Amino acid sequence: MPISMRSKFERSLCNEAPFLLESEQAAVLMLALTSQFIWLLSLWPILAVGSKRLHDRNKNGWWLLVFWLLPFALFCGGFSIYFFDDPKTGRSGDFSTGSILIFASLPPALWGIVELGILPGTKGPNLYGADPAQQLA
């Protein structure tokens, strides 16, 4: 769906849904659940394509954890350390540790972009089968 059409749809949903669902909180919950459902439906094809690409590079599909989960965990951990206060000790967020974790999430994410999107596949057959580029020729 184009961005302008999508934003019009979301605006109309947020304007109309509270009346249909009797509260704004119910509309936000419905929108959040719908987006999570769509994300879960798209997760399987995303993992399958990433795994196929890694197999084309003669790597195991488990490398997706390094390329996606590690940067996400580092970023979320750094974000939570940077912005959230500790009510027990009264300490505010730690800028330096949070920033280090946030910046530490960049190398594995960039490595994943290069590995999955830029580098060519292995020439000829590898552990995961024949070269798909040679099969087309």
Side-chain angles (χ1 to χ4, degrees), residues 5-134:
M5 187 180 209
R6 184 174 148 214
S7 62
K8 286 179 186 177
F9 173 73
E10 287 175 354
R11 256 183 276 145
S12 68
L13 183 65
C14 287
N15 289 337
E16 302 295 328
F19 301 112
L20 297 173
L21 299 172
E22 299 182 13
S23 77
E24 187 175 336
Q25 290 174 340
V28 169
L29 178 65
M30 185 63 72
L31 191 61
L33 289 174
T34 303
S35 67
Q36 291 299 311
F37 180 71
I38 292 170
W39 179 81
L40 281 174
L41 285 178
S42 65
L43 184 63
W44 183 260
I46 288 170
L47 291 174
V49 168
S51 180
K52 281 187 77 146
R53 179 65 182 128
L54 285 169
H55 286 173
D56 186 37
R57 298 265 315 125
N58 203 21
K59 293 188 185 291
N60 197 323
W62 288 104
W63 277 96
L64 288 175
L65 292 175
V66 173
F67 298 145
W68 290 345
L69 190 62
L70 179 63
F72 179 74
L74 287 171
F75 183 82
C76 289
F79 185 81
S80 65
I81 290 172
Y82 181 78
F83 284 110
F84 296 117
D85 301 333
D86 186 3
K88 291 180 182 174
T89 62
R91 288 181 43 199
S92 60
D94 186 8
F95 175 78
S96 59
T97 306
S99 298
I100 289 170
L101 286 176
I102 289 171
F103 285 121
S105 71
L106 290 175
L110 293 175
W111 179 30
I113 290 170
V114 169
E115 189 79 34
L116 294 171
I118 297 174
L119 295 176
T122 56
K123 302 282 186 213
N126 61 23
L127 293 172
Y128 301 98
D131 186 0
Q134 288 181 344

